[in-house]
Amino acid sequence: MPTILLFASYKLLSLFSPPVGLEHLHCDMKRGFTKARNKEPQVKALLEQDNIHQQIGLLAQQGVYEFHRDISMLSCQDGVGRIVDILKLSQKSTEVQERVQQILENYWGNPILDGKNILKLLRGDEGYPEAILIRYGNYTFNFYAAIDCIFREVDGTLHILDFKTGKSDFDRRQGYIYLLAAKYLYPNQKAVASFYNLETGKWSQPLSATAAAIQTFESLLAQTAKRHQRDLFRYRQNLAEFKEIFPPNPGISCRNCPFPSICQFSVQEVAA
Ligand code: SF4
């Protein structure tokens, strides 16, 4: 078998099995385009187009980062306006401008990280995080976990915080995956993970996990990495079997997919 590097991440896991409540949007062919054909020029171009949700998520994260890069922004009356300028929000679409402006005002009014002992806060555009090499059984895989923010609680507990925007529910699996990352990045330290929606102001309860629960997720990621490697290998052996290896699930899932323009199975919805 040619070398295909094993890797796993929350993104890969969610391409295999969607979060609870989003099963109707699942389509394995999306994984095929995203992970097996991502170097083809058309696919690459589609993957590089940020959709509105991605733009808002990134700008929201950058906004939080800027508030804490210069903490005086949180106390000055035009703090939001200054960050709007830094983010060049006026160059974005009306929807993006309005929603990000609201997010910045929300955060200025309730800066949840203010006064926290912040160990790490990402701007959001740093690219791939450094891989964590996990040895599992007789093989190893690279594990990627992009952690938005880590702060230390007063009692010393590490708190991993993931920022969200939009309406989607928090996926507890992602929390467990962050706790797995913490096990490797901060060994022997107590850790919890939570999600904070910058649009709604909803903050989840902190999630903690036993060693056995973290082990279960490590095993799940290892299996996911292997299954994905097997699919990539099959595809590279026979490009014509794309649709058998990554079966399409046309329908409502096509609404939320970047690939309808190049996918022969896409379903275009007809206006009533
Ligand atoms: S367009 Fe539809 S069928 Fe094709 S990959 Fe996307 S979701 Fe799947």
Side-chain angles (χ1 to χ4, degrees):
M1 186 189 286
T3 306
I4 296 175
L5 193 62
L6 265 73
F7 74 94
S9 62
Y10 170 70
K11 172 92 190 287
L12 183 64
L13 178 65
S14 54
L15 283 169
F16 265 100
S17 76
V20 173
L22 295 181
E23 294 84 354
H24 57 294
L25 298 179
H26 178 68
C27 171
D28 214 34
M29 191 167 274
K30 287 184 196 173
R31 178 169 62 95
F33 280 121
T34 307
K35 299 293 185 189
R37 294 178 55 180
N38 54 349
K39 300 223 168 33
E40 293 176 22
Q42 277 184 310
V43 179
K44 190 163 182 275
L46 290 169
L47 286 169
E48 284 170 355
Q49 280 174 12
D50 281 352
N51 62 35
I52 282 188
H53 180 70
Q54 288 167 329
Q55 284 184 48
I56 291 170
L58 180 58
L59 288 163
Q61 171 91 27
Q62 289 175 344
V64 172
Y65 172 87
E66 292 297 339
F67 274 124
H68 290 277
R69 188 175 64 83
D70 178 358
I71 206 81
S72 70
M73 301 272 197
L74 287 171
S75 50
C76 70
Q77 283 305 312
D78 65 342
V80 170
R82 285 165 63 186
I83 290 182
V84 163
D85 291 342
I86 291 170
L87 300 183
K88 299 189 170 65
L89 215 51
S90 59
Q91 297 176 9
K92 306 296 179 189
S93 69
T94 306
E95 180 181 352
V96 172
Q97 282 188 45
E98 287 176 357
R99 284 178 58 189
V100 175
Q101 171 89 27
Q102 188 60 56
I103 286 167
L104 297 175
E105 285 171 13
N106 292 350
Y107 195 80
W108 186 83
N110 182 24
I112 61 162
L113 291 174
D114 194 21
K116 296 274 193 287
N117 179 7
I118 300 172
L119 306 181
K120 175 178 176 177
L121 178 58
L122 291 190
R123 198 180 138 82
D125 55 2
E126 291 86 352
Y128 270 103
E130 204 171 318
I132 299 169
L133 191 66
I134 294 188
R135 197 170 298 282
Y136 196 84
N138 58 357
Y139 61 94
T140 55
F141 66 94
N142 278 337
F143 166 45
Y144 297 94
I147 295 174
D148 293 341
C149 173
I150 306 177
F151 60 90
R152 199 177 286 284
E153 301 275 14
V154 182
D155 68 357
T157 302
L158 290 171
H159 194 135
I160 298 171
L161 181 62
D162 189 63
F163 291 116
K164 298 287 182 201
T165 54
K167 294 189 181 132
S168 54
D169 283 337
F170 306 133
D171 183 354
R172 289 170 66 85
R173 299 178 307 173
Q174 192 174 13
Y176 286 116
I177 285 171
Y178 286 140
L179 294 175
L180 172 63
K183 177 185 121 175
Y184 283 93
L185 297 173
Y186 304 93
N188 303 319
Q189 296 199 43
K190 190 175 164 202
V192 296
S194 70
F195 302 94
Y196 181 72
N197 188 310
L198 290 160
E199 289 196 271
T200 64
K202 186 175 166 197
W203 198 343
S204 75
Q205 286 296 318
L207 182 75
S208 56
T210 60
I214 291 176
Q215 174 78 33
T216 300
F217 271 85
E218 190 166 33
S219 167
L220 178 64
L221 283 183
Q223 288 163 29
T224 303
K226 278 205 99 167
R227 280 178 61 197
H228 186 58
Q229 185 202 41
R230 182 203 59 202
D231 291 345
L232 288 181
F233 176 72
R234 275 182 66 203
Y235 175 63
R236 288 179 193 174
Q237 293 294 103
N238 190 350
L239 302 185
E241 282 188 9
F242 180 65
K243 65 180 186 306
E244 283 77 30
I245 300 166
F246 303 102
N249 179 28
I252 198 167
S253 54
C254 302
R255 264 193 219 164
N256 218 16
C257 175
F259 308 113
S261 59
I262 56 169
C263 174
Q264 67 182 109
F265 303 99
S266 78
V267 172
Q268 306 293 330
E269 289 178 56
V270 180

